[in-house]
Amino acid sequence: MPRFAANLSMMFTEVPFLDRFAAAADCGFEAVEYLFPYDHAAEVVAERLGTAGLAQALFNMPPGDWIAGERGLAALPGRQVEFQQALEMAIAYARVIGTPHLHMIAGIAPATDPKAIATYRDNLKRATDRTGEAGIGLVIEPINGRDMPGYFLSDFNQALDFIAEMDAPHLKLQFDIYHRQILHGDVIMGLRACAALIGHIQIASVPDRHEPLTGELDDRKIFAEIDAIGYQGYVGCEYRPALGTREGLSWMAMV
């Protein structure tokens, strides 16, 4: 059975962010992930994590101006200095909080634009080198255009090509089952094909992004396949509870 990590950006939103660590532990989670910790001092986040007895699974690098619609800086020409600053901030937080993985978010840019491709490649190389020096894993994630229109990295094959180019053992694929189904389908075969390169997995039902077992996929078979491919990491529960977080957790007893 996979080990699940609560996504504190989507779950337990009934309470303030720093209180979600204890709420997740109270509900039996052993690990957490979230989009960003940067609204709080790294030491404060680490203290809440430790007090709750939780492991940290993953968080994202700073996204740029999220409120204005930015979704990462890596593929944005002319923003390399900001990207470098975001990378260093993420590494500093990762060292204090103790995350095994950082997710490098790509940003909104045309996937076929040569300048965006070159910028992304250069920034990925920079991030791969720096996280390698810091002993931190790096993941990249294809995201579907329905949830995030215009996102640069929206194809699993393209992500795998970038990973192959970098040829670094700590650079891996973030395999989000929800995004995979919307982008390509063929989830189980995708898991098998990508198994050696998967650094992190996330789950939500399709199409509504609610609790597992409530959508079009057979999540029990998917969980069995995650075990079968030998994945040892956490599966992030990156879903929006349909009614309330605690009310929706009954699915965990059914898998």
Side-chain angles (χ1 to χ4, degrees), residues 20-40:
R20 296 174 197 171
F21 293 87
D26 288 344
C27 288
F29 285 97
E30 297 179 359
V32 294
E33 61 176 35
Y34 36 80
L35 294 180
F36 313 110
Y38 310 109
D39 285 342
H40 306 277

Side-chain angles (χ1 to χ4, degrees), residues 42-220:
E43 292 78 7
V44 173
V45 177
E47 188 274 332
R48 294 297 180 107
L49 186 74
T51 299
L54 294 165
Q56 179 71 48
L58 168 132
F59 56 83
N60 298 338
M61 290 174 52
D65 191 339
W66 185 268
I67 294 176
E70 292 189 332
R71 296 296 183 264
L73 300 168
L76 305 189
R79 305 286 293 276
Q80 287 91 333
V81 172
E82 292 171 73
F83 175 84
Q84 181 69 37
Q85 293 169 344
L87 171 62
E88 295 303 325
M89 176 181 285
I91 290 172
Y93 266 75
R95 283 173 166 156
V96 173
I97 297 171
T99 184
H101 300 294
L102 288 171
H103 170 211
M104 189 187 86
I105 44 182
I108 307 301
T112 58
D113 177 18
K115 289 184 179 179
I117 294 169
T119 301
Y120 183 83
R121 182 179 286 113
D122 289 346
N123 282 330
L124 180 59
K125 179 65 166 61
R126 184 173 294 108
T128 300
D129 289 346
R130 285 291 294 119
T131 53
E133 293 167 2
I136 301 165
L138 182 68
V139 293
I140 58 175
E141 175 190 23
I143 296 177
N144 81 79
R146 187 170 75 199
D147 284 65
M148 200 172 286
Y151 192 71
F152 173 79
L153 190 62
S154 60
D155 183 279
F156 273 67
N157 292 324
Q158 183 187 32
L160 293 173
D161 287 344
F162 279 123
I163 291 170
E165 271 188 65
M166 296 300 113
D167 191 26
H170 72 289
L171 174 62
K172 300 286 187 179
L173 176 70
Q174 184 165 314
F175 194 112
D176 186 300
I177 289 160
Y178 170 81
H179 292 306
R180 171 73 192 200
Q181 173 66 3
I182 294 171
L183 286 170
H184 304 294
D186 208 18
V187 171
I188 286 178
M189 291 303 293
L191 285 167
R192 292 175 183 173
C194 299
L197 294 174
I198 293 174
H200 188 60
I201 294 176
Q202 292 175 321
I203 184 74
S205 68
V206 184
D208 295 322
R209 207 169 189 176
H210 293 322
E211 288 85 349
L213 310 186
T214 65
E216 66 190 36
L217 295 176
D218 188 336
D219 291 319
R220 291 184 183 87

